[in-house]
Amino acid sequence: MLKTVLQTGEVHNFEAQFIRQDGSLCWVLLSCKLNKAENCLDKVVTDISDRKQALSALRQSEATQRALFQAIPDFTLRMYRDRSDFDIISRGKNYILPKTIERADLSDILPPELVRQRRSAVRQALASQEIQIYEQCMERFGEPTWEEVRVVPRGADDVLVMIRDISARKQAEANLERATQEAQIANQAKSQFLSNMSHELRTPLNVILGFTQLMIRNRDLNSQQQDYLNSINHSSEHLLSLINDILEMSKIEAGKISLNLGDFDLYGLLDGIYLMFQFKASSKALELQLQRAANLPQYIRTDESKLRQILVNLVGNAVKFTESGNITLRASLLSKEPMDNGESRLKLQFEVEDTGHGIEPAEIECLFEPFVQARNNSAHEGTGLGLPISKKFVELMGGEMAVSSQVGRGSQFQFSIRAETVPCSRIATCHENRPVVGLKPGQPNYRILIVEDVPESRQLLIDLLKPIGFELREAENGLEALQIAQQWQPHLVWMDIRMPVMDGYEATQKMKAMGENAPLVIALTSSAFKQEQTLAMNIGFDDFVCKPFRTEIIFEKMAEFLGVEYIYGDSTLANSQSSNEITSGVGVKRITSADLQVMPENWIEKLHQAATKVNGKEVNTLIQEIPSTHAELADYLTRLVENFSFEAIVALTKD
């Protein structure tokens, strides 16, 4: 080193590594210069250990960065502000650029529209100092290729552009979208099918049930004819329940089910269910009990219809599958939280316990699957949809359902729901169900238009309303109804929805456009779908009644919208139409076969034979022979006859 400095006379720098006294390594920079005046060398020693460490770290960082770029699949390049050329940082895999190219211009690899898009993204990234992400489609190897482009700002004037092939992802998304569209089309087809089935099945049932109810109102029928009608009505109601179960499950699967919240009397609902099954339980010598907790609120807000359907299904199953012992329906309050409006948020619990066959442990797991019935159940009736529907309803109402069972000892179904308390003043007063026999004097001459394409359905309403005193006109399609409405100006129109020529939607819209002459229009349709009801109300219908309907609903709606006042007949006749309308309370004493022993054996045998033949007249004659000291027995048997529960009388007298 000294020789070189002496020969050249120039400054020379040299790096050297030394070991300090403490054993650590030290890097120094030695600068030597010839001092000719003094004929010697000037030497400067500088510690550069920090600089060497920083340089080493930088080299390691660059190596790491190169390794990262080589590892990622993205084609990566560096671009600059207002320049179309770029530097390749990493080629990624299977990209279209030749490996010999290190620098290129965007116009060499992209079509003009993508060049403009890329330059715009670079400017936005530099201006905002935020990553810009977009997708582009270009042709590679003769095939369309989708790419995701990420523009990452590095500083004030350059960016990194990372390009990734996302063709596989886009293909998967396209497949998913196509599958989704196909599923939607299939779901729409299913909904349309269900809607059609609802209409096709419920329309004839409406005619059967409607005319049956009309005939039951006839006091001139003998007991045998009443029995026949009762059998028709009972079988039709059973068929309707099966259809409703299938449609309900289909609506659940299609996601078309929702809560219909309302205020109601919970005590009344529970009493009604008790009365509905009391005589059926008695006919099997079962004891049916209703237990209400002392703190159970009477007036609540939730979906009354769904709660009733759950309880009817559970209690009905218990009665059906229990041969001896008892069935208990319990209702209790689990929790109560105050709300801002002064009312309370509730969690209610219901239990139905029986002493029936019980359920095998292996069957409990699949008990809530559609169309599944326990093998232990000897009565394989129904669709196997009651429990799955009930469970879905419970979950929709914010609760959960559980079951416990022991084979040979019975089962217990338990579920909870969410509800709210409501003041008594919000609960509508229930009027006694009495048959309408006429119109009170001094009222307008009400004009009612019946629009229905099925002749039997039109005739049903005509036979129901004409004897009461309404002035009626009829039409078989919407166009004919519109012409009658414009000329006749009816007060109210009962409008079917599905009709030829012009449907009920269009006809109602045109009627509502008649200004002050527009009539009230109530939809009367076989559709059981909530969305069709919502559509009808949005179009302009004043209300919606679903077929099959109860005859009293027709009268109630006209009273509600027109203010019609009726003359009512004897309530006994109306109460005989349905076992869930018995006027006795929950505390009625249950009569057993032992109570009949107050009468002679030959009398009991005659009663058994008369009940077996479903001869109501003869049974009533025998009841009149019961001494007044046993009036409770006579009243009980009379109610059985009034509700056509002859099987209960047979069960009482067969022992």
Side-chain angles (χ1 to χ4, degrees), residues 427-441:
I427 304 298
T429 303
C430 294
H431 298 287
E432 184 181 6
N433 181 27
R434 295 177 297 163
V436 174
V437 297
L439 298 174
K440 284 187 177 181

Side-chain angles (χ1 to χ4, degrees), residues 135-284:
E135 296 177 355
Q136 64 183 23
C137 184
M138 58 183 299
E139 186 173 309
R140 187 195 298 178
F141 307 126
E143 296 290 337
T145 301
W146 278 96
E147 298 174 339
E148 180 185 78
V149 181
R150 292 175 175 262
V151 182
V152 184
R154 295 183 69 249
D157 295 303
D158 65 317
V159 299
L160 288 180
V161 180
M162 307 175 73
I163 305 170
R164 175 172 298 183
D165 189 333
I166 58 170
S167 299
R169 191 187 80 191
K170 296 296 285 188
Q171 182 62 44
E173 291 175 354
N175 293 340
L176 179 59
E177 183 178 359
R178 183 166 54 253
T180 302
Q181 290 177 348
E182 291 174 355
Q184 289 175 344
I185 293 173
N187 194 38
Q188 290 174 355
K190 179 180 178 180
S191 296
Q192 185 63 39
F193 171 78
L194 291 173
S195 181
N196 290 336
M197 284 299 95
S198 174
H199 184 270
E200 294 301 322
L201 294 172
R202 295 169 73 92
T203 295
L205 272 176
N206 177 63
V207 174
I208 295 171
L209 287 169
F211 278 115
T212 301
Q213 292 177 60
L214 279 177
M215 294 178 70
I216 289 176
R217 294 159 59 92
N218 189 345
R219 294 176 179 271
D220 296 332
L221 298 177
N222 59 42
S223 59
Q224 187 178 48
Q225 292 170 329
Q226 289 279 355
D227 295 338
Y228 291 160
L229 287 175
N230 184 67
S231 297
I232 294 173
N233 192 65
H234 177 76
S235 298
S236 299
E237 291 283 0
H238 180 64
L239 179 58
L240 178 62
S241 68
L242 298 181
I243 294 171
N244 287 340
D245 279 351
I246 295 173
L247 293 175
E248 203 71 61
M249 179 55 67
S250 300
K251 288 193 288 183
I252 290 173
E253 291 176 346
K256 298 182 180 296
I257 200 74
S258 60
L259 285 177
N260 298 315
L261 300 179
D263 306 334
F264 62 95
D265 182 347
L266 178 59
Y267 288 12
L269 184 147
L270 294 173
D271 291 348
I273 291 173
Y274 174 89
L275 294 170
M276 182 183 299
F277 293 102
Q278 177 192 20
F279 290 105
K280 182 66 174 178
S282 296
S283 70
K284 300 178 69 174

Side-chain angles (χ1 to χ4, degrees), residues 498-512:
R498 296 190 180 191
M499 294 179 294
V501 184
M502 180 185 291
D503 63 25
Y505 292 131
E506 184 179 355
T508 298
Q509 286 180 315
K510 292 182 181 297
M511 286 184 184
K512 289 300 182 180

Side-chain angles (χ1 to χ4, degrees), residues 508-522:
T508 298
Q509 286 180 315
K510 292 182 181 297
M511 286 184 184
K512 289 300 182 180
M514 292 168 54
E516 59 183 19
N517 294 325
L520 292 163
V521 183
I522 300 178

Side-chain angles (χ1 to χ4, degrees), residues 284-322:
K284 300 178 69 174
L286 300 174
E287 183 178 0
L288 178 61
Q289 300 176 345
L290 170 60
Q291 298 177 359
R292 290 195 297 258
N295 61 349
L296 184 72
Q298 181 171 1
Y299 304 110
I300 66 171
R301 177 176 178 79
T302 186
D303 193 319
E304 179 183 9
S305 176
K306 289 181 176 57
L307 177 58
R308 177 184 289 106
Q309 189 168 341
I310 297 167
L311 292 173
V312 166
N313 179 68
L314 295 181
V315 177
N317 283 348
V319 173
K320 184 189 303 181
F321 302 130
T322 302

Side-chain angles (χ1 to χ4, degrees), residues 240-486:
L240 178 62
S241 68
L242 298 181
I243 294 171
N244 287 340
D245 279 351
I246 295 173
L247 293 175
E248 203 71 61
M249 179 55 67
S250 300
K251 288 193 288 183
I252 290 173
E253 291 176 346
K256 298 182 180 296
I257 200 74
S258 60
L259 285 177
N260 298 315
L261 300 179
D263 306 334
F264 62 95
D265 182 347
L266 178 59
Y267 288 12
L269 184 147
L270 294 173
D271 291 348
I273 291 173
Y274 174 89
L275 294 170
M276 182 183 299
F277 293 102
Q278 177 192 20
F279 290 105
K280 182 66 174 178
S282 296
S283 70
K284 300 178 69 174
L286 300 174
E287 183 178 0
L288 178 61
Q289 300 176 345
L290 170 60
Q291 298 177 359
R292 290 195 297 258
N295 61 349
L296 184 72
Q298 181 171 1
Y299 304 110
I300 66 171
R301 177 176 178 79
T302 186
D303 193 319
E304 179 183 9
S305 176
K306 289 181 176 57
L307 177 58
R308 177 184 289 106
Q309 189 168 341
I310 297 167
L311 292 173
V312 166
N313 179 68
L314 295 181
V315 177
N317 283 348
V319 173
K320 184 189 303 181
F321 302 130
T322 302
E323 298 303 326
S324 63
N326 56 75
I327 299 162
T328 304
L329 169 60
R330 302 185 184 93
S332 58
L333 174 66
L334 288 183
S335 64
K336 185 176 183 179
E337 301 175 4
M339 298 190 302
D340 294 338
N341 62 359
E343 301 303 327
S344 298
R345 188 175 289 107
L346 308 172
K347 185 175 183 180
L348 305 176
Q349 179 171 285
F350 301 87
E351 298 176 19
V352 177
E353 185 175 7
D354 64 60
T355 56
H357 302 289
I359 306 168
E360 295 283 354
E363 294 181 343
I364 290 180
E365 297 181 0
C366 59
L367 195 61
F368 295 105
E369 296 180 8
F371 305 106
V372 172
Q373 293 178 321
R375 289 191 297 271
N376 278 346
N377 295 336
S378 58
H380 290 283
E381 302 175 11
T383 60
L385 292 174
L387 288 177
I389 291 173
S390 296
K391 187 173 186 293
K392 291 291 185 181
F393 282 175
V394 167
E395 293 170 351
L396 190 65
M397 299 171 77
E400 54 188 17
M401 178 177 285
V403 57
S404 60
S405 182
Q406 289 185 327
V407 176
R409 300 192 62 179
S411 305
Q412 181 187 63
F413 286 83
Q414 183 181 88
F415 70 92
S416 61
I417 63 167
R418 299 287 181 180
E420 298 176 4
T421 58
V422 294
C424 176
S425 57
R426 278 170 49 181
I427 304 298
T429 303
C430 294
H431 298 287
E432 184 181 6
N433 181 27
R434 295 177 297 163
V436 174
V437 297
L439 298 174
K440 284 187 177 181
Q443 296 186 82
N445 186 21
Y446 292 110
R447 297 183 298 276
I448 309 298
L449 174 59
I450 301 169
V451 188
E452 168 68 67
D453 63 319
V454 178
E456 293 83 359
S457 295
R458 291 200 308 272
Q459 192 62 46
L460 171 61
L461 283 174
I462 291 172
D463 291 348
L464 177 65
L465 300 179
K466 190 172 182 179
I468 305 303
F470 292 103
E471 185 177 345
L472 304 177
R473 297 283 294 273
E474 57 182 300
E476 63 181 16
N477 60 65
L479 180 59
E480 182 182 350
L482 182 62
Q483 295 170 348
I484 294 175
Q486 291 171 339

